Amino acid sequence: MKVLKTAVTGTMESSDIMVTIAPNEGAGIEIELDSSVEKQFGKAIRATITETLAELDIQDAKVSAVDKGALDCVIRARVKASAYRACERDDYTWGVTGK
């Protein structure tokens, strides 16, 4: 999928994550993470974001994530919702592909 515009999902509430996805033409995936648990889980959060974008075949995107202790399933859901909005798609595939 191709990112066409900037899209945001999530909140700044505890146990949630706000994910913003924007176009990043030809520059690959860039992730900016601000997390209250970054020292403990930053690497895992980045991996979850990267894996979710790969499942959706998104290769060029700027991702800004402000995490307030979200679980893995919440991170995936927010990334997917932002991605579908940013790509202006409504043919949602919410399940995990290839598993």
Side-chain angles (χ1 to χ4, degrees):
M1 294 193 313
K2 181 179 171 87
V3 177
L4 303 171
K5 65 179 187 176
T6 300
V8 180
T9 57
T11 69
M12 299 292 294
E13 299 295 320
S14 180
S15 301
D16 202 355
I17 185 170
M18 183 180 293
V19 177
T20 305
I21 296 180
N24 196 25
E25 280 300 315
I29 302 294
E30 292 180 28
I31 300 173
E32 179 183 318
L33 176 62
D34 177 11
S35 175
S36 58
V37 293
E38 187 164 3
K39 285 187 179 184
Q40 298 92 341
F41 301 108
K43 193 173 185 178
I45 294 168
R46 290 175 201 281
T48 298
I49 292 170
T50 302
E51 289 169 11
T52 305
L53 292 173
E55 288 172 10
L56 298 172
D57 194 31
I58 294 178
Q59 299 169 3
D60 297 310
K62 285 184 184 177
V63 180
S64 174
V66 181
D67 173 57
K68 298 295 182 182
L71 296 174
D72 189 60
C73 58
V74 174
I75 296 168
R76 287 185 182 280
R78 296 300 193 198
V79 171
K80 283 186 176 186
S82 283
Y84 279 110
R85 289 178 184 174
C87 295
E88 296 183 336
R89 301 280 297 263
D90 61 4
D91 55 336
Y92 309 113
T93 304
W94 294 114
V96 177
T97 58
K99 292 186 181 181

PDB file of all heavy atoms in Angstrom, residues 75-95:
ATOM      1  N   ILE A  75      -0.862  -1.723  19.907  1.00  0.00           N
ATOM      2  CA  ILE A  75       0.093  -1.110  18.976  1.00  0.00           C
ATOM      3  C   ILE A  75      -0.232  -1.548  17.548  1.00  0.00           C
ATOM      4  O   ILE A  75      -0.323  -0.714  16.645  1.00  0.00           O
ATOM      5  CB  ILE A  75       1.545  -1.482  19.344  1.00  0.00           C
ATOM      6  CG1 ILE A  75       1.901  -0.916  20.723  1.00  0.00           C
ATOM      7  CG2 ILE A  75       2.514  -0.965  18.277  1.00  0.00           C
ATOM      8  CD1 ILE A  75       3.190  -1.457  21.306  1.00  0.00           C
ATOM      9  N   ARG A  76      -0.439  -2.844  17.350  1.00  0.00           N
ATOM     10  CA  ARG A  76      -0.779  -3.356  16.011  1.00  0.00           C
ATOM     11  C   ARG A  76      -2.071  -2.727  15.486  1.00  0.00           C
ATOM     12  O   ARG A  76      -2.155  -2.325  14.330  1.00  0.00           O
ATOM     13  CB  ARG A  76      -0.915  -4.876  16.031  1.00  0.00           C
ATOM     14  CG  ARG A  76       0.392  -5.598  16.161  1.00  0.00           C
ATOM     15  CD  ARG A  76       0.196  -7.120  16.039  1.00  0.00           C
ATOM     16  NE  ARG A  76       1.457  -7.794  16.221  1.00  0.00           N
ATOM     17  CZ  ARG A  76       2.388  -7.906  15.274  1.00  0.00           C
ATOM     18  NH1 ARG A  76       2.185  -7.386  14.093  1.00  0.00           N
ATOM     19  NH2 ARG A  76       3.516  -8.531  15.521  1.00  0.00           N
ATOM     20  N   ALA A  77      -3.088  -2.658  16.324  1.00  0.00           N
ATOM     21  CA  ALA A  77      -4.376  -2.100  15.904  1.00  0.00           C
ATOM     22  C   ALA A  77      -4.247  -0.631  15.524  1.00  0.00           C
ATOM     23  O   ALA A  77      -4.799  -0.197  14.505  1.00  0.00           O
ATOM     24  CB  ALA A  77      -5.409  -2.269  17.016  1.00  0.00           C
ATOM     25  N   ARG A  78      -3.519   0.131  16.300  1.00  0.00           N
ATOM     26  CA  ARG A  78      -3.351   1.564  16.010  1.00  0.00           C
ATOM     27  C   ARG A  78      -2.536   1.772  14.731  1.00  0.00           C
ATOM     28  O   ARG A  78      -2.853   2.638  13.919  1.00  0.00           O
ATOM     29  CB  ARG A  78      -2.689   2.284  17.178  1.00  0.00           C
ATOM     30  CG  ARG A  78      -3.492   2.286  18.460  1.00  0.00           C
ATOM     31  CD  ARG A  78      -4.822   2.951  18.305  1.00  0.00           C
ATOM     32  NE  ARG A  78      -5.431   3.211  19.600  1.00  0.00           N
ATOM     33  CZ  ARG A  78      -6.703   3.470  19.782  1.00  0.00           C
ATOM     34  NH1 ARG A  78      -7.519   3.516  18.748  1.00  0.00           N
ATOM     35  NH2 ARG A  78      -7.178   3.680  20.983  1.00  0.00           N
ATOM     36  N   VAL A  79      -1.484   0.986  14.551  1.00  0.00           N
ATOM     37  CA  VAL A  79      -0.671   1.108  13.336  1.00  0.00           C
ATOM     38  C   VAL A  79      -1.507   0.753  12.110  1.00  0.00           C
ATOM     39  O   VAL A  79      -1.486   1.471  11.105  1.00  0.00           O
ATOM     40  CB  VAL A  79       0.603   0.231  13.410  1.00  0.00           C
ATOM     41  CG1 VAL A  79       1.318   0.185  12.067  1.00  0.00           C
ATOM     42  CG2 VAL A  79       1.544   0.754  14.489  1.00  0.00           C
ATOM     43  N   LYS A  80      -2.269  -0.333  12.197  1.00  0.00           N
ATOM     44  CA  LYS A  80      -3.110  -0.727  11.060  1.00  0.00           C
ATOM     45  C   LYS A  80      -4.153   0.339  10.747  1.00  0.00           C
ATOM     46  O   LYS A  80      -4.358   0.682   9.582  1.00  0.00           O
ATOM     47  CB  LYS A  80      -3.795  -2.070  11.328  1.00  0.00           C
ATOM     48  CG  LYS A  80      -2.884  -3.246  11.168  1.00  0.00           C
ATOM     49  CD  LYS A  80      -3.649  -4.548  11.303  1.00  0.00           C
ATOM     50  CE  LYS A  80      -2.724  -5.725  11.050  1.00  0.00           C
ATOM     51  NZ  LYS A  80      -3.450  -7.004  11.029  1.00  0.00           N
ATOM     52  N   ALA A  81      -4.821   0.850  11.756  1.00  0.00           N
ATOM     53  CA  ALA A  81      -5.846   1.869  11.526  1.00  0.00           C
ATOM     54  C   ALA A  81      -5.241   3.123  10.896  1.00  0.00           C
ATOM     55  O   ALA A  81      -5.793   3.667   9.934  1.00  0.00           O
ATOM     56  CB  ALA A  81      -6.551   2.213  12.834  1.00  0.00           C
ATOM     57  N   SER A  82      -4.100   3.565  11.401  1.00  0.00           N
ATOM     58  CA  SER A  82      -3.425   4.735  10.815  1.00  0.00           C
ATOM     59  C   SER A  82      -3.006   4.462   9.385  1.00  0.00           C
ATOM     60  O   SER A  82      -3.149   5.321   8.509  1.00  0.00           O
ATOM     61  CB  SER A  82      -2.185   5.122  11.632  1.00  0.00           C
ATOM     62  OG  SER A  82      -2.547   5.794  12.798  1.00  0.00           O
ATOM     63  N   ALA A  83      -2.497   3.268   9.141  1.00  0.00           N
ATOM     64  CA  ALA A  83      -2.034   2.921   7.802  1.00  0.00           C
ATOM     65  C   ALA A  83      -3.186   2.928   6.801  1.00  0.00           C
ATOM     66  O   ALA A  83      -3.064   3.495   5.707  1.00  0.00           O
ATOM     67  CB  ALA A  83      -1.351   1.551   7.816  1.00  0.00           C
ATOM     68  N   TYR A  84      -4.301   2.299   7.161  1.00  0.00           N
ATOM     69  CA  TYR A  84      -5.446   2.284   6.252  1.00  0.00           C
ATOM     70  C   TYR A  84      -5.949   3.705   5.976  1.00  0.00           C
ATOM     71  O   TYR A  84      -6.277   4.034   4.840  1.00  0.00           O
ATOM     72  CB  TYR A  84      -6.573   1.410   6.805  1.00  0.00           C
ATOM     73  CG  TYR A  84      -6.362  -0.064   6.538  1.00  0.00           C
ATOM     74  CD1 TYR A  84      -6.066  -0.944   7.564  1.00  0.00           C
ATOM     75  CD2 TYR A  84      -6.462  -0.576   5.247  1.00  0.00           C
ATOM     76  CE1 TYR A  84      -5.875  -2.295   7.323  1.00  0.00           C
ATOM     77  CE2 TYR A  84      -6.268  -1.926   4.991  1.00  0.00           C
ATOM     78  CZ  TYR A  84      -5.972  -2.776   6.032  1.00  0.00           C
ATOM     79  OH  TYR A  84      -5.787  -4.109   5.786  1.00  0.00           O
ATOM     80  N   ARG A  85      -5.997   4.532   6.998  1.00  0.00           N
ATOM     81  CA  ARG A  85      -6.419   5.924   6.797  1.00  0.00           C
ATOM     82  C   ARG A  85      -5.429   6.673   5.907  1.00  0.00           C
ATOM     83  O   ARG A  85      -5.821   7.412   5.010  1.00  0.00           O
ATOM     84  CB  ARG A  85      -6.536   6.644   8.131  1.00  0.00           C
ATOM     85  CG  ARG A  85      -7.708   6.197   8.965  1.00  0.00           C
ATOM     86  CD  ARG A  85      -7.743   6.917  10.292  1.00  0.00           C
ATOM     87  NE  ARG A  85      -8.814   6.404  11.125  1.00  0.00           N
ATOM     88  CZ  ARG A  85      -9.025   6.763  12.385  1.00  0.00           C
ATOM     89  NH1 ARG A  85      -8.226   7.662  12.955  1.00  0.00           N
ATOM     90  NH2 ARG A  85     -10.013   6.261  13.067  1.00  0.00           N
ATOM     91  N   ALA A  86      -4.142   6.504   6.183  1.00  0.00           N
ATOM     92  CA  ALA A  86      -3.103   7.212   5.423  1.00  0.00           C
ATOM     93  C   ALA A  86      -3.062   6.777   3.965  1.00  0.00           C
ATOM     94  O   ALA A  86      -2.688   7.555   3.086  1.00  0.00           O
ATOM     95  CB  ALA A  86      -1.737   6.995   6.073  1.00  0.00           C
ATOM     96  N   CYS A  87      -3.433   5.550   3.712  1.00  0.00           N
ATOM     97  CA  CYS A  87      -3.442   5.019   2.336  1.00  0.00           C
ATOM     98  C   CYS A  87      -4.799   5.197   1.668  1.00  0.00           C
ATOM     99  O   CYS A  87      -5.000   4.755   0.526  1.00  0.00           O
ATOM    100  CB  CYS A  87      -3.043   3.546   2.344  1.00  0.00           C
ATOM    101  SG  CYS A  87      -1.363   3.255   2.891  1.00  0.00           S
ATOM    102  N   GLU A  88      -5.735   5.818   2.391  1.00  0.00           N
ATOM    103  CA  GLU A  88      -7.098   6.038   1.904  1.00  0.00           C
ATOM    104  C   GLU A  88      -7.744   4.743   1.417  1.00  0.00           C
ATOM    105  O   GLU A  88      -8.341   4.675   0.352  1.00  0.00           O
ATOM    106  CB  GLU A  88      -7.122   7.111   0.813  1.00  0.00           C
ATOM    107  CG  GLU A  88      -6.694   8.465   1.325  1.00  0.00           C
ATOM    108  CD  GLU A  88      -6.777   9.573   0.289  1.00  0.00           C
ATOM    109  OE1 GLU A  88      -6.723   9.295  -0.923  1.00  0.00           O
ATOM    110  OE2 GLU A  88      -6.882  10.736   0.714  1.00  0.00           O
ATOM    111  N   ARG A  89      -7.608   3.708   2.233  1.00  0.00           N
ATOM    112  CA  ARG A  89      -8.155   2.388   1.897  1.00  0.00           C
ATOM    113  C   ARG A  89      -9.268   2.050   2.881  1.00  0.00           C
ATOM    114  O   ARG A  89      -9.231   2.442   4.046  1.00  0.00           O
ATOM    115  CB  ARG A  89      -7.060   1.317   2.003  1.00  0.00           C
ATOM    116  CG  ARG A  89      -5.862   1.529   1.104  1.00  0.00           C
ATOM    117  CD  ARG A  89      -6.093   1.088  -0.318  1.00  0.00           C
ATOM    118  NE  ARG A  89      -6.334  -0.324  -0.441  1.00  0.00           N
ATOM    119  CZ  ARG A  89      -5.400  -1.220  -0.753  1.00  0.00           C
ATOM    120  NH1 ARG A  89      -4.159  -0.836  -0.978  1.00  0.00           N
ATOM    121  NH2 ARG A  89      -5.702  -2.488  -0.847  1.00  0.00           N
ATOM    122  N   ASP A  90     -10.233   1.290   2.424  1.00  0.00           N
ATOM    123  CA  ASP A  90     -11.284   0.815   3.307  1.00  0.00           C
ATOM    124  C   ASP A  90     -11.530  -0.690   3.147  1.00  0.00           C
ATOM    125  O   ASP A  90     -12.518  -1.222   3.625  1.00  0.00           O
ATOM    126  CB  ASP A  90     -12.579   1.594   3.110  1.00  0.00           C
ATOM    127  CG  ASP A  90     -13.133   1.477   1.701  1.00  0.00           C
ATOM    128  OD1 ASP A  90     -12.569   0.732   0.884  1.00  0.00           O
ATOM    129  OD2 ASP A  90     -14.146   2.150   1.428  1.00  0.00           O
ATOM    130  N   ASP A  91     -10.597  -1.374   2.505  1.00  0.00           N
ATOM    131  CA  ASP A  91     -10.682  -2.829   2.348  1.00  0.00           C
ATOM    132  C   ASP A  91      -9.867  -3.497   3.453  1.00  0.00           C
ATOM    133  O   ASP A  91      -8.872  -4.133   3.215  1.00  0.00           O
ATOM    134  CB  ASP A  91     -10.194  -3.265   0.965  1.00  0.00           C
ATOM    135  CG  ASP A  91      -8.780  -2.772   0.643  1.00  0.00           C
ATOM    136  OD1 ASP A  91      -8.337  -1.763   1.229  1.00  0.00           O
ATOM    137  OD2 ASP A  91      -8.123  -3.412  -0.183  1.00  0.00           O
ATOM    138  N   TYR A  92     -10.337  -3.331   4.671  1.00  0.00           N
ATOM    139  CA  TYR A  92      -9.599  -3.739   5.857  1.00  0.00           C
ATOM    140  C   TYR A  92      -9.357  -5.243   5.949  1.00  0.00           C
ATOM    141  O   TYR A  92     -10.246  -6.033   5.685  1.00  0.00           O
ATOM    142  CB  TYR A  92     -10.353  -3.312   7.129  1.00  0.00           C
ATOM    143  CG  TYR A  92     -10.733  -1.858   7.111  1.00  0.00           C
ATOM    144  CD1 TYR A  92     -12.062  -1.470   7.043  1.00  0.00           C
ATOM    145  CD2 TYR A  92      -9.756  -0.879   7.156  1.00  0.00           C
ATOM    146  CE1 TYR A  92     -12.413  -0.140   7.034  1.00  0.00           C
ATOM    147  CE2 TYR A  92     -10.099   0.461   7.132  1.00  0.00           C
ATOM    148  CZ  TYR A  92     -11.428   0.822   7.068  1.00  0.00           C
ATOM    149  OH  TYR A  92     -11.761   2.144   7.049  1.00  0.00           O
ATOM    150  N   THR A  93      -8.132  -5.593   6.342  1.00  0.00           N
ATOM    151  CA  THR A  93      -7.770  -6.956   6.674  1.00  0.00           C
ATOM    152  C   THR A  93      -7.197  -6.902   8.082  1.00  0.00           C
ATOM    153  O   THR A  93      -6.020  -6.617   8.267  1.00  0.00           O
ATOM    154  CB  THR A  93      -6.701  -7.494   5.681  1.00  0.00           C
ATOM    155  OG1 THR A  93      -7.211  -7.371   4.365  1.00  0.00           O
ATOM    156  CG2 THR A  93      -6.397  -8.956   5.971  1.00  0.00           C
ATOM    157  N   TRP A  94      -8.035  -7.142   9.080  1.00  0.00           N
ATOM    158  CA  TRP A  94      -7.598  -6.950  10.460  1.00  0.00           C
ATOM    159  C   TRP A  94      -6.850  -8.134  11.029  1.00  0.00           C
ATOM    160  O   TRP A  94      -6.055  -7.987  11.929  1.00  0.00           O
ATOM    161  CB  TRP A  94      -8.793  -6.642  11.351  1.00  0.00           C
ATOM    162  CG  TRP A  94      -9.413  -5.336  11.025  1.00  0.00           C
ATOM    163  CD1 TRP A  94     -10.660  -5.137  10.504  1.00  0.00           C
ATOM    164  CD2 TRP A  94      -8.833  -4.031  11.126  1.00  0.00           C
ATOM    165  NE1 TRP A  94     -10.872  -3.793  10.294  1.00  0.00           N
ATOM    166  CE2 TRP A  94      -9.783  -3.096  10.678  1.00  0.00           C
ATOM    167  CE3 TRP A  94      -7.611  -3.558  11.566  1.00  0.00           C
ATOM    168  CZ2 TRP A  94      -9.546  -1.737  10.645  1.00  0.00           C
ATOM    169  CZ3 TRP A  94      -7.376  -2.185  11.534  1.00  0.00           C
ATOM    170  CH2 TRP A  94      -8.323  -1.300  11.085  1.00  0.00           C
ATOM    171  N   GLY A  95      -7.049  -9.327  10.529  1.00  0.00           N
ATOM    172  CA  GLY A  95      -6.352 -10.496  11.060  1.00  0.00           C
ATOM    173  C   GLY A  95      -4.879 -10.476  10.687  1.00  0.00           C
ATOM    174  O   GLY A  95      -4.439  -9.747   9.815  1.00  0.00           O
TER     175      GLY A  95
END
